Amino acid sequence: YWRGSGLNHIFVVHGDNGLDEAMRINYLGRAAIAQGRAVKERFVPGLDVALALHPKFARQPEDAVLFATLPWAREYLLTFKGTISHKSRTRAGLYHNEQRRIIIATYPHSRKCVPSTSVAHPHAAIGGKQAFHPLHADCCHKLWPFYNDARHDYKRLMNTTFALVMPGRQPATYRLAEVMARGCIPVFYGYDLLPYEELVDWSSMALHVPLEVDFEGQLFPLLEDLAQDHSKLRSMQQALAGAFHKWFDTRDDTSAHRAVVETLRR
């Protein structure tokens, strides 16, 4: 029973906006919150749970083959492809470097690429709100060939040793489960909190770098050195496989619910 305080209750929230501090204070009392939008300013350690998003599609046979491919025997060193929906993606997009086998293909969100309807109305309207100057639409037009290049096909970019995992509209992102399903070593960038930290020893299977990291002077040399350490990479991939099968390998919410319950038990 609720009985006013919310003790021994938990709210599981998958929406992009999540529940903020005001909602907790005014309505939720002492209830725990499990949500994808788990950020430090609204997270209570020892009570709340940082959720992950789980695969939207079942793994295909080719995914299983790639999952078993050794980390150092892959086409790319580091990859990412996605829309610019977080400041980490904006910064990372500056460091695309094909010579180092690093593909970072980003593109503005479609809502930011709406052209104006006339010279007299230089700003397009979206939902009654003023959008962006037509110059942005022109930039989008120029960026599209790079983003849509066949060499930057999303599935092909999964043939990588390391994969950038960055927040999107919320910290939780489908990309984490997608790269784990293909045996790529995750590189968390732009995160305060990692999902299921009470259950998963991310340090044994992933890298976590701060937002201000020096890509060319620190991160890329680190990845290139680690790519030569086959024993370490193999150990990380094996740990990753165990975590994926236990907490991520499902199209429904079963593993997510199990993860929440198991976290609370600890």
Side-chain angles (χ1 to χ4, degrees), residues 8-12 32-34 46-51 54 196 198-199 247 253-266:
N8 296 324
H9 288 71
I10 183 166
F11 287 85
V12 180
I33 300 174
L47 181 65
D48 292 343
V49 180
L51 289 180
H54 294 256
Y196 308 148
E198 298 86 351
L199 306 177
W247 305 115
D253 294 327
T254 303
S255 60
H257 293 159
R258 285 193 296 105
V260 170
V261 171
E262 184 62 26
T263 299
L264 295 175
R265 283 176 177 169
R266 298 187 182 193

Side-chain angles (χ1 to χ4, degrees), residues 71-235:
W72 57 86
R74 298 186 173 219
E75 183 175 1
Y76 299 109
L77 176 68
L78 175 72
T79 66
F80 176 83
K81 182 175 183 177
T83 56
I84 300 173
S85 49
H86 187 268
K87 58 186 177 182
S88 60
R89 300 186 179 202
T90 302
R91 185 166 186 261
L94 301 174
Y95 296 98
H96 173 84
N97 191 325
E98 294 192 28
Q99 290 184 336
R100 299 177 86 161
R101 298 189 298 123
I102 294 167
I103 308 297
I104 304 177
T106 58
Y107 187 74
H109 192 280
S110 58
R111 289 173 65 91
K112 297 181 181 179
C113 290
V114 179
S116 69
T117 55
S118 70
V119 175
H121 301 282
H123 293 83
I126 303 175
K129 296 182 179 180
Q130 201 173 65
F132 288 81
H133 191 276
L135 175 63
H136 288 76
D138 182 57
C139 290
C140 293
H141 178 74
K142 292 178 180 178
L143 287 170
W144 180 249
F146 167 78
Y147 186 76
N148 199 43
D149 193 312
R151 296 173 301 165
H152 304 153
D153 175 74
Y154 192 81
K155 288 186 177 181
R156 179 177 176 179
L157 295 183
M158 287 296 173
N159 188 7
T160 180
T161 304
F162 301 98
L164 271 175
V165 177
M166 297 181 281
R169 293 190 299 271
Q170 61 169 325
T173 170
Y174 289 111
R175 181 166 174 81
L176 175 58
E178 291 168 355
V179 301
M180 292 179 72
R182 293 160 176 88
C184 314
I185 306 298
V187 179
F188 290 103
Y189 175 57
Y191 281 88
D192 293 327
L193 303 166
L194 301 183
Y196 308 148
E197 285 194 274
E198 298 86 351
L199 306 177
V200 180
D201 179 15
W202 290 112
S203 64
S204 69
M205 66 191 76
L207 300 175
H208 185 194
V209 296
L211 191 63
E212 64 275 10
V213 69
D214 180 347
F215 273 74
E216 294 181 341
Q218 294 177 308
L219 180 58
F220 293 168
L222 172 65
L223 299 182
E224 289 165 342
D225 288 344
L226 187 53
Q228 303 303 314
D229 189 343
H230 294 184
S231 176
K232 175 67 172 178
L233 282 181
R234 188 58 174 156
S235 174

